[in-house]
Amino acid sequence: GAGVSQSPSNKVTEKGKDVELRCDPISGHTALYWYRQSLGQGLEFLIYFQGNSAPDKSGLPSDRFSAERTGGSVSTLTIQRTQQEDSAVYLCASSLGGTSGTVYEQYFGPGTRLTVT
Amino acid sequence: AQSVAQPEDQVNVAEGNPLTVKCTYSVSGNPYLFWYVQYPNRGLQFLLKYITGDNLVKGSYGFEAEFNKSQTSFHLKKPSALVSDSALYFCAVRDRAGGSYIPTFGRGTSLIVHP
């Protein structure tokens, strides 16, 4: 079956430009996560969506970062006025659930490699 | 607060030998624990999870992990390593207390299996 997809797979942009990264989660998954992966730094949580609830934005590193999820499905991560330190792989994951008492694993997309020059 | 540590950046093992990738965690309550594997230029793939019950958890590709509450550890193991097991391995923890659904990931351990 279809997994989590992300586009573009690679994005090169100039410092100061805005970029949009897209995530298509697995159909029926109500939870969606964005992470940033930098070399040797593991996965840095950015933002979490669960159903129609307000997103948990506690991981967004600055107000240049924002995300939305339309119709409980596709999500877009937007980075405004990109900086060189934004260069990283941006991973999206989705999962079932979010209800108490049930623990579901995450399914990850292949990521978008962002390079800011 | 929840945190996880993977004390080894890299683990080297010969094919056919047993492998262990270490993970320790810190939570205020009881943990949910996960292992994921990442192959080059791919997203992370789920291997196994501990929720409750039996401390030995079996997962995909012959991997298993043992939950040790007294040592706050959840080491990943495999009895006989394959060259194809070479990849980046991530441990993750989620605290049952507090109601958060956001796991914290370790920095990853690169496993290299030599022929």
Side-chain angles (χ1 to χ4, degrees):
Chain A
V4 177
S5 61
Q6 293 185 245
S7 60
S9 55
N10 281 282
K11 177 70 175 179
V12 180
T13 190
E14 294 180 351
K15 177 182 173 180
K17 300 285 190 182
D18 298 352
V19 295
E20 285 189 352
L21 312 180
R22 176 187 169 105
C23 172
D24 282 271
I26 292 173
S27 178
H29 281 192
T30 57
L32 187 147
Y33 305 75
W34 281 99
Y35 294 91
R36 180 166 68 177
Q37 184 178 22
S38 304
L39 191 62
Q41 297 300 313
L43 268 68
E44 176 188 5
F45 164 73
L46 297 176
I47 189 168
Y48 165 65
F49 296 88
Q50 171 54 46
N52 295 321
S53 302
D56 183 330
K57 305 179 182 180
S58 60
L60 294 178
S62 77
D63 59 8
R64 296 186 295 106
F65 288 73
S66 63
E68 61 179 24
R69 188 178 185 190
T70 55
S73 181
V74 172
S75 178
T76 302
L77 177 69
T78 301
I79 309 174
Q80 295 179 312
R81 304 180 302 281
T82 52
Q83 304 295 313
Q84 288 186 330
E85 59 262 29
D86 299 334
S87 296
V89 176
Y90 289 81
L91 292 170
C92 174
S94 69
S95 73
L96 291 166
T99 55
S100 62
T102 310
V103 181
Y104 296 104
E105 61 271 21
Q106 295 169 298
Y107 292 79
F108 283 80
T112 294
R113 182 175 299 277
L114 175 65
T115 303
V116 182
T117 61
Chain B
Q2 59 191 30
S3 66
V4 62
Q6 295 182 241
E8 303 154 315
D9 289 336
Q10 184 171 303
V11 170
N12 290 276
V13 64
E15 187 174 31
N17 283 1
L19 70 87
T20 298
V21 183
K22 296 179 180 177
C23 171
T24 58
Y25 66 89
S26 175
V27 294
S28 56
N30 290 308
Y32 298 125
L33 292 155
F34 307 83
W35 275 103
Y36 289 84
V37 60
Q38 185 179 34
Y39 297 101
N41 300 313
R42 303 277 296 277
L44 279 69
Q45 297 178 34
F46 170 75
L47 280 178
L48 49 81
K49 63 186 175 186
Y50 170 80
I51 301 173
T52 187
D54 194 348
N55 289 342
L56 184 64
V57 179
K58 294 188 182 296
S60 307
Y61 312 121
F63 284 93
E64 58 189 27
E66 186 166 13
F67 171 62
N68 187 318
K69 187 171 183 177
S70 63
Q71 297 186 4
T72 62
S73 68
F74 190 56
H75 301 331
L76 182 70
K77 300 182 180 184
K78 187 174 182 181
S80 179
L82 300 172
V83 172
S84 58
D85 293 329
S86 299
L88 192 57
Y89 290 80
F90 289 93
C91 182
V93 66
R94 216 183 89 189
D95 196 341
R96 296 185 196 218
S100 172
Y101 294 97
I102 303 165
T104 297
F105 284 80
R107 293 164 61 114
T109 298
S110 177
L111 173 66
I112 300 174
V113 182
H114 302 277

